[in-house]
Amino acid sequence: MTVICPPSDSPLPALPPPGQGVSMSEEWPLQTFLELGAFPSAVPCARLHARQVLWEWNLTRFADPVELIVSELLTNAVNASRTLEWITPVRFWLLSDEARVLVLVWDANPQPPVRIDISDDAENGRGLLLVEALSDQWDWHVAPELGGKIVTALVGDAANL
């Protein structure tokens, strides 16, 4: 099995419109990035990283929903990456303007995330429903500058959205 690793100086992904006209560093001054192997162990690593960074940024009020969102999106990204011919890493960004936290997760699979209808007794399949419930908004877009797709979720103080 061959693993293709992109350069470690991976660019910050471009947000889809309406983020035009404002640079990422101006709108989101607090930023962190991780690139992880597409293994199940990536999920708890990303969760712990998110919790620690939010503590350092004094944004612990967002820790619980952000951790769960990171967990669900990273799980989906790992699974999507593992379906490809070449298993590629997954990438995770956490951005904040101190009133909101933006989670971005990239994987090399361009297929859109799919919210599935599940039965009440199903043991999994609720990830995107959970992301939708915990975030103020979520979306995805193809990432032409990186290939694959980026899934985003925004969590914030309702008054500041």
Side-chain angles (χ1 to χ4, degrees), residues 81-95:
S81 291
R82 296 183 68 79
T83 65
L84 300 173
E85 182 178 348
W86 304 104
I87 297 175
T88 58
V90 294
R91 296 176 184 165
F92 156 63
W93 292 263
L94 197 62
L95 312 170

Side-chain angles (χ1 to χ4, degrees), residues 11 16 21 28 42 50 60 65 68 105-106 114 122-123 125 128 131 146:
W28 304 100
T60 55
L68 288 170
V105 175
W106 173 87
V114 177
E123 292 186 21
L128 291 178
V131 170
L146 301 172

Side-chain angles (χ1 to χ4, degrees), residues 47-113:
R47 277 182 74 133
L48 182 61
H49 181 75
R51 179 167 288 281
Q52 183 62 36
V53 166
L54 291 173
W55 179 80
E56 290 175 6
W57 291 348
N58 197 28
L59 296 172
T60 55
R61 67 187 182 276
F62 299 121
D64 290 338
V66 167
E67 259 193 279
L68 288 170
I69 289 168
V70 165
S71 181
E72 295 302 332
L73 295 183
L74 253 293
T75 297
N76 289 351
V78 166
N79 291 338
S81 291
R82 296 183 68 79
T83 65
L84 300 173
E85 182 178 348
W86 304 104
I87 297 175
T88 58
V90 294
R91 296 176 184 165
F92 156 63
W93 292 263
L94 197 62
L95 312 170
S96 180
D97 63 1
E98 297 184 19
R100 304 169 296 170
V101 176
L102 180 63
V103 178
L104 297 97
V105 175
W106 173 87
D107 66 72
N109 189 329
Q111 297 301 310

